[in-house]
Amino acid sequence: MANSHSRNQNSVPKGNIDLGKMIHAFEVTNRTLNKSPKTTDWHSNNLRLFKDFLLARSYSLAIGDIGLQEAREYIENTYCTFRRERSTKVIR
C-alpha cells in the first residue's frame, strides 16, 4: 500500500507539470537551502525568459512537451538578439 506522500507525488504525471510551477519550486528550494540570492535570481530570470519565449510562440509549458528543439530555438533566438543589439551599439 502506498503512503499518502507517494500517492500525492504520483497523482500528476511529471510530464504535465507546468514550467512556471517548476520555476517557483526551484526558487523556493534554493531559498530554503540558503543559496546565493543573486545566483538564484539570475537563474530564475533566465528561466522566466525561456518561459516567455515559449509563450510568445504558443508552445506548451508542460515539462513533457519541452525538448531539445525548443531549447535550441531559444538559444538561437537569444544569440541572434544579442548579436543584433551588440551591432547597433555606438562605440564612443
Side-chain angles (χ1 to χ4, degrees):
M1 177 182 350
N3 64 33
S4 62
H5 176 70
S6 64
R7 201 173 32 238
N8 289 340
Q9 194 175 31
N10 295 325
S11 64
V12 177
K14 288 180 177 37
N16 292 337
I17 297 173
D18 179 86
L19 179 61
K21 290 180 182 178
M22 292 295 292
I23 293 168
H24 178 72
F26 171 80
E27 292 170 337
V28 170
T29 299
N30 284 324
R31 286 192 180 104
T32 58
L33 294 173
N34 291 322
K35 300 287 184 171
S36 164
K38 286 184 179 182
T39 301
T40 299
D41 289 345
W42 186 88
H43 285 287
S44 296
N45 288 334
N46 281 292
L47 288 167
R48 278 191 211 90
L49 290 172
F50 181 55
K51 183 181 97 171
D52 292 345
F53 169 84
L54 296 172
L55 288 172
R57 283 157 182 75
S58 300
Y59 291 165
S60 171
L61 294 182
I63 294 297
D65 294 338
I66 302 169
L68 186 57
Q69 183 62 35
E70 291 79 11
R72 285 181 174 157
E73 287 179 36
Y74 173 70
I75 291 167
E76 179 183 8
N77 178 268
T78 303
Y79 177 73
C80 290
T81 301
F82 172 76
R83 284 187 55 128
R84 207 173 24 254
E85 289 174 358
R86 190 171 178 208
S87 68
T88 59
K89 287 185 179 180
V90 176
I91 301 173
R92 296 178 191 212

